[in-house]
């Protein structure tokens, strides 16, 4: 029975899984990302791990890899990889194919998380959906008609970089007042001096300031999502990333803002959901990417 390997390449760990076409993970493995994480060192570590997951000749047919940064539209080149050393236009798919003999495809890690949720997670009942990852930064993925949309150069779907306040805080992208500057972990730290989990725990205990902060947070997130809904009219919006664990404290404001700002015809039957796959989403989505090479 044919299987594929999905790989989630992160700054501290590399997660790998061997998946069947039905989405069942038959074996998984997590190895530390080598430090410094140069392309050559990562390739060597990844190749060793792939061999451990593919001990039987011809058991695996393809490999998918999620990388922490943009890939080209063809899924061959890691253009930049955040938190990895010296990653600029690395032809990772070619390198892995040369080492393993298996067809390989890359995608941005947030895009892989979106594919994972669309395949086996909260988005499995929908063809058109958005995933927003609320973490250190704010990433995103757009799935249209069941397929990942990356645009002609592979850089589409940077949902966290849309502007919600033209005079807001500066963003690494060069923008000002991007959604990321209001709903990321870094934004929460800047505004409160606390970690999201600390703020969520305070809200759970009934702390008025924490509850008020989450209400404002939900308002900003809702404002950003309103623009995306008008453009894409998705069936579902899924939020993932660490901050999503506190969603009970900001969902009501997100819904309120969307209902206030978006015409009913653009949000009809829209579902707002929390991601289900946690930190496995990237690996699962990378496996789905690999299946696209086989089918």
């Amino acid at each position: 029975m044919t299987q594929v390997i999905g790989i989630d390449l992160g700054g501290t760990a590399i997660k790998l899984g061997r998946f069947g076409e039905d989405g069942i993970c038959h074996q998984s493995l997590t190895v530390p990302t080598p430090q410094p994480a140069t392309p050559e060192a990562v390739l060597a570590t990844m190749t060793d791990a792939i061999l451990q997951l593919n001990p039987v000749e011809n058991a695996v047919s393809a490999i998918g890899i999620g990388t922490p940064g943009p890939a080209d539209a063809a899924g061959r080149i890691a253009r930049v990889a955040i938190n990895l050393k010296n990653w600029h236009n690395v032809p990772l798919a070619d390198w892995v194919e040369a080492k393993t003999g298996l067809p390989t495809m890359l995608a941005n890690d947030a895009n892989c998380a979106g594919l994972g949720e669309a395949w086996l997670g909260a988005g499995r009942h929908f063809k058109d959906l958005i995933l927003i990852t609320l973490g250190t930064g704010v990433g995103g993925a757009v799935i249209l008609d069941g397929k990942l949309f990356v645009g002609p150069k592979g850089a589409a779907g940077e949902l966290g970089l849309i502007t919600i306040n033209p005079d807001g805080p500066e963003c690494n992208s060069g923008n000002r007042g991007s959604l990321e500057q209001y709903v990321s972990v870094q934004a929460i730290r800047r505004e409160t001096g606390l970690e999201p989990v600390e703020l969520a725990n305070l809200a759970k205990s009934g702390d008025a300031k924490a509850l008020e902060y989450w209400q404002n947070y939900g308002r900003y997130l809702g404002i950003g999502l309103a623009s995306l809904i008008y453009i894409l009219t998705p069936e579902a919006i899924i939020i993932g990333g660490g901050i999503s664990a506190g969603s009970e404290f900001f969902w009501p404001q997100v819904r309120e803002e969307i209902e206030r700002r978006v015409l009913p015809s653009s949000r009809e039957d829209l579902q707002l959901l929390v991601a289900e796959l946690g930190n496995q989403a990237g690996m699962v989505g990378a496996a789905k990417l690999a299946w696209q090479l086989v089918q």
Side-chain angles (χ1 to χ4, degrees), residues 208 210-220 249-250 253-254:
L211 287 165
E212 184 184 0
Y213 180 85
W214 284 121
Q215 287 176 346
N216 282 328
Y217 179 97
R219 182 168 174 261
Y220 283 124
F249 301 113
F250 58 80
Q253 278 63 44
V254 171

Side-chain angles (χ1 to χ4, degrees), residues 16-62:
L16 305 91
R18 179 161 48 81
F19 289 82
E21 199 171 352
D22 52 7
I24 290 174
C25 183
H26 294 276
Q27 189 183 354
S28 63
L29 179 67
T30 300
V31 296
T33 305
Q35 304 299 334
T38 61
E40 295 77 11
V42 167
L43 177 68
T45 300
M46 202 183 280
T47 305
D48 288 345
I50 289 166
L51 289 172
Q52 289 181 57
L53 278 190
N54 187 26
V56 182
E57 191 78 17
N58 299 327
V60 169
S61 296

